Short mmCIF file of all heavy atoms in Angstrom, two decimals:
data_model
loop_
_atom_site.label_atom_id
_atom_site.label_comp_id
_atom_site.label_asym_id
_atom_site.label_seq_id
_atom_site.Cartn_x
_atom_site.Cartn_y
_atom_site.Cartn_z
N ILE A 1254 2.71 -9.58 -5.02
CA ILE A 1254 3.74 -8.71 -5.62
C ILE A 1254 4.25 -9.33 -6.89
O ILE A 1254 4.41 -8.65 -7.93
CB ILE A 1254 4.89 -8.45 -4.66
CG1 ILE A 1254 4.37 -7.78 -3.35
CG2 ILE A 1254 5.93 -7.53 -5.28
CD1 ILE A 1254 5.44 -7.57 -2.34
N THR A 1255 4.50 -10.62 -6.89
CA THR A 1255 5.14 -11.29 -8.02
C THR A 1255 4.24 -11.95 -8.95
O THR A 1255 4.65 -12.50 -9.95
CB THR A 1255 6.16 -12.32 -7.46
OG1 THR A 1255 5.43 -13.26 -6.62
CG2 THR A 1255 7.22 -11.64 -6.58
N SER A 1256 2.89 -11.96 -8.66
CA SER A 1256 1.94 -12.60 -9.51
C SER A 1256 0.54 -12.08 -9.29
O SER A 1256 0.38 -11.09 -8.52
CB SER A 1256 1.91 -14.17 -9.24
OG SER A 1256 1.36 -14.38 -7.93
N LYS A 1257 -0.43 -12.67 -9.95
CA LYS A 1257 -1.84 -12.25 -9.70
C LYS A 1257 -2.52 -13.25 -8.76
O LYS A 1257 -3.72 -13.37 -8.75
CB LYS A 1257 -2.56 -12.28 -11.06
CG LYS A 1257 -2.17 -11.17 -12.02
CD LYS A 1257 -2.75 -9.84 -11.61
CE LYS A 1257 -2.51 -8.77 -12.64
NZ LYS A 1257 -3.02 -7.42 -12.20
N THR A 1258 -1.68 -13.90 -7.92
CA THR A 1258 -2.24 -14.90 -6.99
C THR A 1258 -2.37 -14.24 -5.59
O THR A 1258 -1.45 -13.63 -5.07
CB THR A 1258 -1.30 -16.10 -6.89
OG1 THR A 1258 -1.14 -16.65 -8.20
CG2 THR A 1258 -1.87 -17.13 -5.96
N LEU A 1259 -3.57 -14.44 -5.02
CA LEU A 1259 -3.83 -13.97 -3.69
C LEU A 1259 -4.55 -15.07 -2.91
O LEU A 1259 -5.44 -15.72 -3.40
CB LEU A 1259 -4.73 -12.73 -3.68
CG LEU A 1259 -4.06 -11.37 -3.85
CD1 LEU A 1259 -5.12 -10.30 -4.07
CD2 LEU A 1259 -3.21 -11.01 -2.67
N VAL A 1260 -4.13 -15.22 -1.65
CA VAL A 1260 -4.85 -16.21 -0.78
C VAL A 1260 -6.25 -15.71 -0.52
O VAL A 1260 -7.23 -16.47 -0.66
CB VAL A 1260 -4.06 -16.41 0.54
CG1 VAL A 1260 -4.96 -17.16 1.55
CG2 VAL A 1260 -2.77 -17.16 0.30
N ASN A 1261 -6.38 -14.47 -0.20
CA ASN A 1261 -7.74 -13.83 -0.02
C ASN A 1261 -7.97 -13.02 -1.32
O ASN A 1261 -7.65 -11.88 -1.40
CB ASN A 1261 -7.75 -12.94 1.20
CG ASN A 1261 -9.13 -12.38 1.47
OD1 ASN A 1261 -10.01 -12.31 0.63
ND2 ASN A 1261 -9.35 -11.96 2.74
N ILE A 1262 -8.58 -13.70 -2.33
CA ILE A 1262 -8.60 -13.13 -3.68
C ILE A 1262 -9.35 -11.80 -3.75
O ILE A 1262 -9.10 -10.97 -4.63
CB ILE A 1262 -9.21 -14.17 -4.64
CG1 ILE A 1262 -9.01 -13.74 -6.08
CG2 ILE A 1262 -10.64 -14.45 -4.33
CD1 ILE A 1262 -7.63 -13.52 -6.51
N ALA A 1263 -10.32 -11.60 -2.87
CA ALA A 1263 -11.14 -10.36 -2.94
C ALA A 1263 -10.34 -9.13 -2.65
O ALA A 1263 -10.71 -8.01 -3.09
CB ALA A 1263 -12.31 -10.44 -1.93
N LEU A 1264 -9.20 -9.29 -2.01
CA LEU A 1264 -8.41 -8.12 -1.62
C LEU A 1264 -7.66 -7.41 -2.74
O LEU A 1264 -7.10 -6.36 -2.56
CB LEU A 1264 -7.40 -8.51 -0.50
CG LEU A 1264 -7.99 -8.96 0.81
CD1 LEU A 1264 -6.91 -9.40 1.78
CD2 LEU A 1264 -8.87 -7.84 1.41
N TRP A 1265 -7.65 -8.05 -3.94
CA TRP A 1265 -7.04 -7.37 -5.06
C TRP A 1265 -7.70 -5.99 -5.31
O TRP A 1265 -7.04 -5.04 -5.76
CB TRP A 1265 -7.15 -8.23 -6.35
CG TRP A 1265 -8.54 -8.25 -6.95
CD1 TRP A 1265 -9.48 -9.21 -6.72
CD2 TRP A 1265 -9.13 -7.29 -7.79
NE1 TRP A 1265 -10.64 -8.90 -7.39
CE2 TRP A 1265 -10.44 -7.72 -8.09
CE3 TRP A 1265 -8.66 -6.13 -8.38
CZ2 TRP A 1265 -11.33 -7.01 -8.91
CZ3 TRP A 1265 -9.51 -5.41 -9.24
CH2 TRP A 1265 -10.84 -5.87 -9.48
N PHE A 1266 -8.96 -5.89 -5.01
CA PHE A 1266 -9.74 -4.65 -5.22
C PHE A 1266 -9.14 -3.49 -4.45
O PHE A 1266 -9.10 -2.36 -4.95
CB PHE A 1266 -11.23 -4.90 -4.83
CG PHE A 1266 -12.04 -3.63 -4.99
CD1 PHE A 1266 -12.30 -3.09 -6.23
CD2 PHE A 1266 -12.54 -3.02 -3.86
CE1 PHE A 1266 -13.05 -1.92 -6.34
CE2 PHE A 1266 -13.31 -1.87 -3.96
CZ PHE A 1266 -13.58 -1.31 -5.22
N LEU A 1267 -8.70 -3.74 -3.20
CA LEU A 1267 -8.10 -2.67 -2.39
C LEU A 1267 -6.85 -2.12 -3.01
O LEU A 1267 -6.62 -0.92 -3.05
CB LEU A 1267 -7.85 -3.16 -0.97
CG LEU A 1267 -9.09 -3.60 -0.15
CD1 LEU A 1267 -8.69 -3.98 1.24
CD2 LEU A 1267 -10.13 -2.49 -0.16
N LEU A 1268 -6.00 -3.03 -3.56
CA LEU A 1268 -4.74 -2.57 -4.21
C LEU A 1268 -5.07 -1.85 -5.50
O LEU A 1268 -4.51 -0.78 -5.78
CB LEU A 1268 -3.87 -3.79 -4.48
CG LEU A 1268 -3.24 -4.48 -3.27
CD1 LEU A 1268 -2.43 -5.72 -3.73
CD2 LEU A 1268 -2.34 -3.53 -2.47
N ALA A 1269 -5.98 -2.38 -6.28
CA ALA A 1269 -6.34 -1.75 -7.55
C ALA A 1269 -6.96 -0.40 -7.31
O ALA A 1269 -6.69 0.57 -8.00
CB ALA A 1269 -7.30 -2.64 -8.37
N LEU A 1270 -7.82 -0.30 -6.28
CA LEU A 1270 -8.47 0.96 -5.97
C LEU A 1270 -7.43 2.00 -5.50
O LEU A 1270 -7.56 3.21 -5.80
CB LEU A 1270 -9.54 0.74 -4.91
CG LEU A 1270 -10.41 1.93 -4.54
CD1 LEU A 1270 -11.05 2.54 -5.79
CD2 LEU A 1270 -11.50 1.57 -3.51
N PHE A 1271 -6.48 1.57 -4.71
CA PHE A 1271 -5.42 2.47 -4.30
C PHE A 1271 -4.72 3.09 -5.52
O PHE A 1271 -4.52 4.32 -5.56
CB PHE A 1271 -4.44 1.72 -3.41
CG PHE A 1271 -3.17 2.54 -3.08
CD1 PHE A 1271 -3.23 3.49 -2.08
CD2 PHE A 1271 -2.00 2.39 -3.81
CE1 PHE A 1271 -2.07 4.26 -1.77
CE2 PHE A 1271 -0.83 3.14 -3.50
CZ PHE A 1271 -0.92 4.07 -2.49
N TRP A 1272 -4.31 2.27 -6.45
CA TRP A 1272 -3.63 2.78 -7.64
C TRP A 1272 -4.53 3.60 -8.50
O TRP A 1272 -4.07 4.58 -9.13
CB TRP A 1272 -2.98 1.60 -8.43
CG TRP A 1272 -1.85 1.00 -7.66
CD1 TRP A 1272 -1.75 -0.22 -7.09
CD2 TRP A 1272 -0.58 1.67 -7.40
NE1 TRP A 1272 -0.54 -0.37 -6.50
CE2 TRP A 1272 0.19 0.76 -6.69
CE3 TRP A 1272 -0.06 2.93 -7.72
CZ2 TRP A 1272 1.48 1.08 -6.25
CZ3 TRP A 1272 1.22 3.23 -7.26
CH2 TRP A 1272 1.96 2.35 -6.57
N ALA A 1273 -5.83 3.23 -8.59
CA ALA A 1273 -6.74 4.07 -9.36
C ALA A 1273 -6.79 5.48 -8.81
O ALA A 1273 -6.84 6.45 -9.54
CB ALA A 1273 -8.13 3.42 -9.39
N ASN A 1274 -6.81 5.58 -7.49
CA ASN A 1274 -6.80 6.90 -6.84
C ASN A 1274 -5.48 7.64 -7.14
O ASN A 1274 -5.55 8.83 -7.39
CB ASN A 1274 -6.98 6.74 -5.32
CG ASN A 1274 -8.39 6.63 -4.88
OD1 ASN A 1274 -9.05 7.67 -4.65
ND2 ASN A 1274 -8.88 5.43 -4.67
N VAL A 1275 -4.38 6.96 -7.09
CA VAL A 1275 -3.10 7.59 -7.31
C VAL A 1275 -2.98 8.07 -8.77
O VAL A 1275 -2.64 9.22 -9.04
CB VAL A 1275 -1.94 6.59 -7.03
CG1 VAL A 1275 -0.57 7.20 -7.48
CG2 VAL A 1275 -1.88 6.35 -5.52
N TRP A 1276 -3.33 7.15 -9.76
CA TRP A 1276 -3.26 7.55 -11.15
C TRP A 1276 -4.16 8.71 -11.42
O TRP A 1276 -3.84 9.64 -12.15
CB TRP A 1276 -3.65 6.35 -12.04
CG TRP A 1276 -2.83 5.10 -11.95
CD1 TRP A 1276 -3.35 3.84 -11.97
CD2 TRP A 1276 -1.45 4.96 -11.78
NE1 TRP A 1276 -2.34 2.93 -11.80
CE2 TRP A 1276 -1.14 3.54 -11.71
CE3 TRP A 1276 -0.39 5.86 -11.68
CZ2 TRP A 1276 0.17 3.07 -11.56
CZ3 TRP A 1276 0.91 5.37 -11.54
CH2 TRP A 1276 1.14 4.00 -11.47
N PHE A 1277 -5.39 8.63 -10.88
CA PHE A 1277 -6.35 9.68 -11.16
C PHE A 1277 -5.96 11.03 -10.52
O PHE A 1277 -6.16 12.05 -11.18
CB PHE A 1277 -7.74 9.24 -10.65
CG PHE A 1277 -8.87 10.13 -11.18
CD1 PHE A 1277 -9.31 9.98 -12.48
CD2 PHE A 1277 -9.53 11.07 -10.44
CE1 PHE A 1277 -10.32 10.74 -13.02
CE2 PHE A 1277 -10.53 11.84 -10.89
CZ PHE A 1277 -10.93 11.70 -12.23
N PHE A 1278 -5.39 11.01 -9.37
CA PHE A 1278 -4.93 12.24 -8.77
C PHE A 1278 -3.91 12.90 -9.63
O PHE A 1278 -3.91 14.10 -9.86
CB PHE A 1278 -4.35 11.95 -7.34
CG PHE A 1278 -3.87 13.17 -6.66
CD1 PHE A 1278 -4.71 13.85 -5.79
CD2 PHE A 1278 -2.58 13.64 -6.83
CE1 PHE A 1278 -4.26 15.00 -5.15
CE2 PHE A 1278 -2.11 14.79 -6.18
CZ PHE A 1278 -2.98 15.49 -5.34
N ILE A 1279 -2.96 12.10 -10.12
CA ILE A 1279 -1.84 12.62 -10.95
C ILE A 1279 -2.46 13.22 -12.21
O ILE A 1279 -2.09 14.33 -12.65
CB ILE A 1279 -0.81 11.51 -11.27
CG1 ILE A 1279 -0.08 11.11 -10.03
CG2 ILE A 1279 0.13 11.98 -12.36
CD1 ILE A 1279 0.78 9.88 -10.20
N LEU A 1280 -3.38 12.53 -12.83
CA LEU A 1280 -3.96 13.01 -14.06
C LEU A 1280 -4.76 14.32 -13.89
O LEU A 1280 -4.66 15.23 -14.72
CB LEU A 1280 -4.91 11.92 -14.68
CG LEU A 1280 -4.27 10.67 -15.24
CD1 LEU A 1280 -5.31 9.69 -15.61
CD2 LEU A 1280 -3.41 11.06 -16.47
#
């Protein structure tokens, strides 16, 4: 939440993909 640091670094993709879906739906 507060940085770009993740213990399981691969999981950033799930968060980014969630927001990509949200942004794209709105657009």
Side-chain angles (χ1 to χ4, degrees):
I1254 301 176
T1255 58
S1256 70
K1257 289 285 188 182
T1258 303
L1259 273 172
V1260 168
N1261 186 338
I1262 190 60
L1264 294 177
W1265 73 265
F1266 176 68
L1267 297 183
L1268 292 178
L1270 185 55
F1271 172 80
W1272 289 112
N1274 274 275
V1275 171
W1276 301 140
F1277 194 73
F1278 181 92
I1279 294 172
L1280 288 173

